[in-house]
Amino acid sequence: MNNLVKIALTTGAVAVGIIVIFLGLDTACLGSGATACRVMKGFQWESIVAGALGLAGGLFVIAGTSQQIQAAREDQAARELDSVDRLIRMNDRINKTLTDYVKDAKRKAKENPAPNVNTLRGNWDNIRMQGNSRRIMDKINDNSDLPLELRNAASEASNHVTDLPQISYGAHQPPLETLELITKVQARSVKLTDTLKKERNAYAQILMRR
């Protein structure tokens, strides 16, 4: 609930309170010639109530219009950032898969200090092929309305994930060294994706103020 709605509700509540109070006083003063009753009868409280209710209604209209404008801005920002959001969702999915893989592989390495390739490889060959974000990056690069900082952050996050297919378990490198490389890639990928999210949110705030 925004401030305008709160003010409108408060104003309406005050108006209702005035109505209740003065109707009660009208009833209490029926047939009375007391000075206070004569003064109260001459008080134009109906005009005050009408003004307060009109003000409350106007505030509700302004609040509704403001919410519509805000919704339109949010929709525009979502369209503008669609390709960036798709890249973030893809990276989040890959990062979770990498995190789960590294956790499981380290557990296996702890159980077997001298693991062979097959012990640690698991489903790595499938995981490392999931980072194809070329089409998304093409859309991001083609959108010149996006700030350079945001496009650069997207490029770094995308390229880092795209490099995954180059990492494989082989005969020329001990499996634990390969796992250590994957661990570094995983940590770096999470960091780059977080940077991309910050740049994305910063630009979203700019769009919302337009």
Side-chain angles (χ1 to χ4, degrees):
M1 184 184 299
N2 60 38
N3 290 333
L4 284 177
V5 174
K6 291 179 181 178
I7 295 173
L9 290 175
T10 301
T11 304
V14 170
V16 172
I18 292 174
I19 292 173
V20 172
I21 291 171
F22 277 91
L23 285 179
L25 290 175
D26 277 345
T27 302
C29 287
L30 284 176
S32 174
T35 301
C37 289
R38 289 198 302 271
V39 173
M40 189 275 295
K41 290 179 180 179
F43 183 68
Q44 300 296 317
W45 62 269
E46 295 93 341
S47 299
I48 296 176
V49 170
L53 291 176
L55 174 62
L59 290 174
F60 273 119
V61 171
I62 294 173
T65 303
S66 176
Q67 290 176 348
Q68 290 178 350
I69 294 174
Q70 182 72 7
R73 287 175 176 171
E74 291 176 355
D75 186 60
Q76 178 184 357
R79 289 196 302 269
E80 182 78 14
L81 293 166
D82 177 65
S83 55
V84 176
D85 288 338
R86 286 171 57 197
L87 177 61
I88 289 174
R89 287 193 297 269
M90 189 191 79
N91 275 24
D92 280 342
R93 184 177 65 254
I94 293 174
N95 288 338
K96 183 180 184 308
T97 302
L98 285 172
T99 301
D100 292 342
Y101 171 82
V102 167
K103 182 179 179 180
D104 184 61
K106 285 187 173 182
R107 177 187 60 79
K108 293 177 180 178
K110 186 176 181 180
E111 294 173 353
N112 183 2
N116 59 38
V117 172
N118 292 329
T119 300
L120 294 185
R121 177 185 288 127
N123 63 337
W124 174 248
D125 288 338
N126 291 327
I127 294 174
R128 68 191 182 96
M129 302 306 295
Q130 296 180 12
N132 188 357
S133 57
R134 183 175 301 172
R135 291 183 179 179
I136 299 177
M137 275 309 306
D138 285 344
K139 290 187 177 181
I140 293 175
N141 289 328
D142 289 343
N143 188 352
S144 58
D145 291 333
L146 295 175
L148 180 60
E149 294 82 357
L150 177 56
R151 281 181 283 163
N152 286 342
S155 179
E156 289 187 18
S158 174
N159 290 339
H160 196 69
V161 172
T162 305
D163 289 340
L164 287 177
Q166 302 175 23
I167 304 174
S168 62
Y169 287 93
H172 302 293
Q173 185 176 27
L176 286 178
E177 290 186 12
T178 302
L179 176 58
E180 182 62 24
L181 177 59
I182 294 172
T183 302
K184 291 179 180 180
V185 169
Q186 178 265 339
R188 178 70 173 160
S189 180
V190 171
K191 183 177 180 180
L192 290 174
T193 302
D194 286 343
T195 299
L196 173 58
K197 290 177 181 179
K198 291 178 182 178
E199 292 293 342
R200 182 263 183 217
N201 292 336
Y203 184 53
Q205 291 299 317
I206 294 175
L207 292 176
M208 295 296 291
R209 291 193 295 267
R210 284 184 178 176

